[in-house]
Amino acid sequence: MKVVVEQNQCRGCRVCELACSYYSFGEFNPKRSRIKVVKLEHAGEDIPVVCVQCGKCIGQCPLDALKMNENGWIVVDEGKCIGCGQCVEFCPLGAITLDPKTAFASVCDVCAGDPKCVRYCPAGALTIDTRVKPNLIAQRTRARYARRSLGRETEAAAEA
Amino acid sequence: MLGLCGWAGTILRVDLTIGKVSKVPIDPGLARRFIGGRGMNSEILRQETAPGIDPLGPDNLLIFGTGPLTGTISPSSGRYTVTAKSPLTGILGDANSGGFWAPELKYAGYDQIVISGRANKPVYMWIDDEQVEIKDASDLAGKDTWETADIIKEHLGDDGIQVTCIGPAGERLVRFASIINNLSRAAGRTGVGAVMGSKNLKAVAVRGSKAVKIADPKAFERAVEDSLKLVYNASNYETYRNLGTTCLVTILNEQGAIGYKNCQAGTWEKAHEISGETLLQKYVVRHKGCFGCRIQCSRYYEVPKGEYAGTAGEGPEYANLQALGASCANSDLASILYANNLANKLGLDAITAGVTIAWAMECYEKGIISKRDTGGIELEWGDSHLIVALLEMIAEREGFGNVLAEGPLRAAEKLGGQEYVVHVKGMPIHQDQRTRKGCALAHATSSRGGDHLRGIPIIEQFANIPPNAHQTLYGISEVGHAYSTVGKAQLVIWNEHLCAVADSLEICKFATAWNMPLTGPRFGDFAKLLSAATGVSMNETEIVRAGERIVNTERLFNVREGIARKDDKLPKRFTEEAAPSGPGKGQRITPEDLETMLDEYYKTRGWRLSDGIPTEEKLRELELTGCSPKAG
């Protein structure tokens, strides 16, 4: 399951950031939002960026703090996360960040199946893809298995 | 308690003369009585400046104010007001802007910035949460607003920083210089950009990572949902979402209320060439919205070919199409888009600039201004190249531009043609108000001079008003047609209070019953939002009272600067010349009309009929202190 962005629909209002921070943390603070609108002001372009639940970050975590649950979204185990930022550096979209308040990894959890950014977007730029991808999950599991067998240093290669 | 929710809780006070920054807790009483933004700014300006100060001297204050809802998900609540004594009018000056700067200031932890003094060299402010620095801006001198924001972001190494700044016009103290954020969002009117320039302050850059907290989340969510429904259900929602204010070119031209050739006529046969519909069809490539907005009335345009090929930017608003187009009889839409961008880059108020040029064109046609005055320039109506050239000359104070940079009234003192300056209290008007009595009254009473954003009753332009609507909506038993004076004083007062509250909550007036008269959110809805957000309980009556208090404190400021009933006048064009065309042909605001409406207005307001000054009784009732209204 994931939030899907229709780029040409976005009008750049950042309501998604407000909804995300409020429903995730109980406060209005776009810096804590897990969806972020990149504004290319001179070009007049607004591009929302949010996790596509590809799971590539999972294998990067040295402490196994990230996993993909059975519904198909990534969850962070804050008991294990030490905020090292390895996942942040690896994410191809910049969609996972360290929360400015807790310093733990922070990534879209699709609001547990009811993403508020989608509900509040006034431009129809965000939709939800409810398909769980079991084969993708299996692929991740295989990758983790392989990584353990081969040792961490080659995990990127194993994932790829 | 107060300061933790809704309001950020801290005011930044900056003395640029000695380079000192202090953080002061918000005064809970002040916040409750004046809400935030415009209201708190106006009261601080009145309390903390001496009468008669030079608007461009170090004694003037420059105040940036956000509202208690700014930075929340409350509809269209991300605006800010910049307030100072105006160098254009000599009375209260303020200007309001959207975009993304205001919420960033809230996230940094501040409701307001109160700036005094004058730096001895160009500086800019850098606010990074608790860290506040006054930094050298020598390398920014002369840069336009777009370059300035880019350079600052590059220096500080973060694209996400929000910058509000002045361009060359502000630095050169053009009396109608603006302050610009996000390329095209302007705190445009009354010359606040010149005040910023006079303080040697080039920009205020902000980055904030803190939260705006909500006192009662459940009640707040309900109040937001309720307000959203009212906005979405408004009959003009889709029009505004699609065209923004540019829809008004066609609407007002049909009603005979555009300002063709310096407001000589309310209709123009070429209006469709610069209309919102034409703009949308020819140049708009996508729609845009300010922070937290659900209407999203803005548009991004690109000019693909022709002389102005490559011109791309956001906007323009109706008023800019009007002032740079119809006012000057310029029907070249691409040139207006280019001029709109240019005004934003130079940091000029496009309305005042356009109207000032239109005044000069009329005076040239009438032989009041000659080539000797202009340095050889021929000021022909509709000359789009001339408009572009004059914008640059004004911003650089070059040649004839230096005369116009003083604003039309001062230019007329020098060259003649005072009777053709369409203004109230020195603030130029871009739009014909002859055919709508209530709108005309609102221009006469507006606390920042001739202006359409203080309380014009937009319902006057609505064709099909349900029977009894005025009773239901405003509690006024009888309101006449646009040409009638009946009920107009009460109607204007209601709208003035609504605008004052909206500007102080810093929500966009388009998302209120001002612009959406039949269904939009109004006082009771604001009370719910404010109470839930801040935890300071306020009911509908108290919110209306706050609006009234704000209007009165602004009146007191102006009274102190010499304003009285004698100044609540309309330009001769509206009182002596009858509308030459359109459905309102033959209409004008007769002196009797205006005096009748003013009598009723002052009586309803509790201001003295003789001089239009608030009575002591009214001031006691509003708990307004520190005032010494002169005896009438």
Side-chain angles (χ1 to χ4, degrees):
Chain A
M1 190 179 281
K2 65 180 178 183
V3 172
V4 180
V5 176
E6 294 279 343
Q7 274 184 15
N8 56 0
Q9 293 294 311
C10 179
R11 292 178 171 213
C13 69
R14 296 172 60 190
V15 166
C16 53
E17 297 181 11
L18 290 167
C20 180
S21 68
Y22 182 71
Y23 286 99
S24 302
F25 304 107
E27 59 182 49
F28 292 110
N29 185 353
K31 294 284 191 298
R32 300 190 78 186
S33 172
R34 290 151 173 182
I35 181 168
K36 290 202 161 62
V37 181
V38 178
K39 300 184 77 70
L40 305 176
E41 279 190 341
H42 287 285
E45 299 269 13
D46 302 293
I47 300 142
V49 176
V50 64
C51 174
V52 295
Q53 312 293 346
C54 75
K56 288 208 172 188
C57 55
I58 294 170
Q60 290 302 308
C61 179
L63 291 154
D64 283 333
L66 300 170
K67 64 170 189 195
M68 184 168 282
N69 73 7
E70 65 276 18
N71 297 312
W73 62 77
I74 294 161
V75 287
V76 180
D77 184 342
E78 292 190 352
K80 287 183 183 167
C81 178
I82 54 164
C84 70
Q86 207 132 295
C87 52
V88 177
E89 282 177 40
F90 191 77
C91 175
L93 298 181
I96 188 166
T97 56
L98 297 184
D99 183 76
K101 205 159 175 179
T102 66
F104 292 135
S106 179
V107 66
C108 172
D109 62 359
V110 214
C111 295
D114 176 22
K116 304 302 185 296
C117 56
V118 174
R119 195 203 286 180
Y120 278 91
C121 175
L126 303 173
T127 52
I128 181 161
D129 180 349
T130 53
R131 287 171 300 174
V132 179
K133 294 172 182 155
N135 284 342
L136 186 68
I137 296 169
Q139 185 191 325
R140 305 279 165 251
T141 313
R142 283 197 298 278
R144 281 166 66 143
Y145 169 72
R147 180 185 53 154
R148 282 204 191 91
S149 325
L150 296 171
R152 285 224 164 82
E153 64 282 2
T154 58
E155 69 195 356
E159 278 272 330
Chain B
M1 273 246 285
L2 188 83
L4 293 179
C5 294
W7 293 289
T10 305
I11 311 297
L12 262 187
R13 286 191 170 262
V14 183
D15 183 340
L16 287 174
T17 306
I18 55 169
K20 185 168 172 258
V21 176
S22 41
K23 293 164 193 170
V24 184
I26 194 170
D27 171 354
L30 189 73
R32 193 191 163 87
R33 288 160 66 233
F34 294 92
I35 301 174
R38 172 180 151 193
M40 274 175 57
N41 287 8
S42 291
E43 175 68 356
I44 288 177
L45 185 76
R46 182 173 73 87
Q47 296 286 357
E48 299 186 17
T49 55
I53 55 163
D54 174 6
L56 296 176
D59 294 335
N60 201 358
L61 295 180
L62 180 71
I63 311 172
F64 294 78
T66 68
L69 300 175
T70 305
T72 75
I73 205 164
S74 183
S76 316
S77 57
R79 302 186 68 88
Y80 67 104
T81 296
V82 189
T83 304
K85 183 177 178 181
S86 165
L88 183 67
T89 63
I91 60 169
L92 180 99
D94 75 22
N96 182 284
S97 176
F100 297 82
W101 185 85
E104 201 69 23
L105 185 68
K106 281 291 283 289
Y107 298 135
Y110 309 102
D111 298 289
Q112 253 183 332
I113 312 173
V114 183
I115 299 164
S116 60
R118 167 192 276 159
N120 58 14
K121 59 178 174 53
V123 295
Y124 78 93
M125 277 181 70
W126 165 223
I127 302 168
D128 189 13
D129 285 338
E130 284 82 10
Q131 294 241 335
V132 183
E133 286 174 69
I134 298 168
K135 293 173 79 88
D136 178 63
S138 314
D139 58 337
L140 297 171
K143 299 286 183 210
D144 73 35
T145 61
W146 295 14
E147 295 165 335
T148 300
D150 286 348
I151 293 169
I152 289 176
K153 288 179 192 178
E154 202 185 315
H155 276 183
L156 300 172
D158 181 354
D159 276 349
I161 288 166
Q162 297 295 337
V163 178
T164 191
C165 63
I166 55 170
E171 290 179 49
R172 285 169 181 74
L173 311 182
V174 173
R175 286 184 189 269
F176 45 92
S178 63
I179 300 174
I180 299 281
N181 57 287
N182 302 106
L183 311 182
S184 59
R185 293 283 141 201
R189 305 221 70 190
T190 71
V192 287
V195 177
M196 194 155 160
S198 77
K199 298 197 172 303
N200 258 324
L201 179 63
K202 180 70 176 168
V204 182
V206 192
R207 178 169 62 192
S209 68
K210 295 190 230 169
V212 175
K213 294 202 178 96
I214 297 300
D216 184 345
K218 286 291 155 230
F220 185 71
E221 286 165 31
R222 271 196 307 277
V224 168
E225 285 299 327
D226 291 348
S227 280
L228 276 179
K229 267 184 219 140
L230 298 173
V231 170
Y232 289 143
N233 291 338
S235 60
N236 50 3
Y237 173 76
E238 281 302 331
T239 308
Y240 267 84
R241 188 170 168 75
N242 199 27
L243 294 169
T245 53
T246 66
C247 68
L248 291 170
V249 175
T250 301
I251 294 172
L252 295 180
N253 187 49
E254 281 167 5
Q255 294 178 352
I258 64 166
Y260 175 53
K261 284 194 175 175
N262 196 28
C263 290
Q264 290 184 63
T267 60
W268 181 25
E269 75 281 1
K270 287 186 174 175
H272 66 276
E273 292 180 29
I274 65 160
S275 73
E277 292 83 352
T278 305
L279 173 64
L280 187 68
Q281 188 201 340
K282 286 174 82 169
Y283 301 120
V284 170
V285 290
R286 68 185 74 86
H287 296 270
K288 305 273 287 177
C290 290
F291 187 89
C293 186
R294 315 308 208 283
I295 301 174
Q296 308 176 330
C297 72
S298 189
R299 294 128 285 111
Y300 188 82
Y301 54 78
E302 283 171 7
V303 179
K305 54 180 196 287
E307 191 181 349
Y308 299 100
T311 297
E314 218 185 302
E317 300 299 333
Y318 156 72
N320 295 13
L321 289 174
Q322 162 66 51
L324 299 166
S327 291
C328 300
N330 171 25
S331 62
D332 180 353
L333 182 53
S335 81
I336 298 174
L337 300 180
Y338 182 84
N340 180 60
N341 271 0
L342 187 61
N344 289 337
K345 288 181 192 174
L346 296 170
L348 278 175
D349 169 22
I351 301 178
T352 305
V355 173
T356 303
I357 293 169
W359 163 82
M361 286 173 165
E362 181 171 3
C363 289
Y364 186 81
E365 185 184 43
K366 292 189 157 68
I368 298 164
I369 295 177
S370 70
K371 275 207 258 188
R372 228 185 21 239
D373 302 307
T374 65
I377 298 170
E378 294 178 31
L379 294 167
E380 299 294 343
W381 289 113
D383 184 344
S384 56
H385 297 106
L386 174 71
I387 295 167
V388 167
L390 281 176
L391 289 180
E392 276 169 349
M393 289 172 70
I394 291 169
E396 301 293 343
R397 280 190 175 272
E398 198 187 297
F400 186 55
N402 192 32
V403 180
L404 298 183
E406 291 293 294
L409 261 192
R410 285 179 176 81
E413 274 165 26
K414 200 170 169 190
L415 304 171
Q418 279 100 330
E419 63 272 41
Y420 302 112
V421 181
V422 182
H423 77 101
V424 173
K425 301 181 181 78
M427 174 94 136
I429 299 169
H430 56 289
Q431 190 181 332
D432 194 338
Q433 303 297 337
R434 276 174 288 199
T435 59
R436 303 179 301 173
K437 300 276 195 292
C439 290
L441 174 65
H443 279 71
T445 59
S446 153
S447 58
R448 62 172 186 175
D451 178 60
H452 60 296
L453 292 170
R454 283 308 220 230
I456 62 165
I458 287 181
I459 196 164
E460 261 189 338
Q461 10 183 107
F462 274 55
N464 302 313
I465 304 163
N468 210 27
H470 291 106
Q471 181 66 45
T472 327
L473 294 172
Y474 311 112
I476 309 170
S477 53
E478 201 191 346
V479 175
H481 181 269
Y483 306 156
S484 156
T485 60
V486 174
K488 293 302 164 66
Q490 289 86 344
L491 194 58
V492 167
I493 288 171
W494 191 93
N495 278 283
E496 284 182 338
H497 292 168
L498 192 90
C499 289
V501 172
D503 288 339
S504 303
L505 287 166
E506 293 301 341
I507 59 182
C508 180
K509 289 193 283 283
F510 292 165
T512 71
W514 179 70
N515 182 51
M516 301 171 158
L518 303 181
T519 54
R522 58 196 61 226
F523 299 106
D525 307 295
F526 302 154
K528 283 185 211 152
L529 286 165
L530 180 65
S531 303
T534 62
V536 175
S537 166
M538 270 180 113
N539 62 29
E540 182 172 347
T541 315
E542 289 168 307
I543 283 270
V544 176
R545 189 45 63 92
E548 186 181 7
R549 188 177 295 121
I550 291 159
V551 171
N552 273 270
T553 204
E554 291 175 352
R555 182 69 172 184
L556 287 174
F557 180 89
N558 289 340
V559 165
R560 193 186 81 182
E561 301 299 326
I563 294 294
R565 179 170 184 149
K566 65 178 171 33
D567 304 291
D568 295 343
K569 291 286 176 249
L570 289 169
K572 277 187 177 169
R573 178 136 286 157
F574 298 163
T575 55
E576 291 182 5
E577 298 175 25
S581 60
K585 188 175 173 182
Q587 287 292 320
R588 65 188 169 104
I589 314 291
T590 65
E592 299 74 45
D593 284 342
L594 183 61
E595 296 310 317
T596 307
M597 290 191 290
L598 281 176
D599 277 347
E600 213 176 325
Y601 177 91
Y602 298 139
K603 211 160 68 192
T604 314
R605 278 226 169 280
W607 294 0
R608 291 194 300 239
L609 284 183
S610 55
D611 52 14
I613 293 176
T615 59
E616 304 240 350
E617 195 188 340
K618 176 52 78 180
L619 298 179
R620 264 198 308 275
E621 184 192 314
L622 293 171
E623 308 154 66
L624 277 171
T625 54
C627 20
S628 50
K630 282 173 270 175

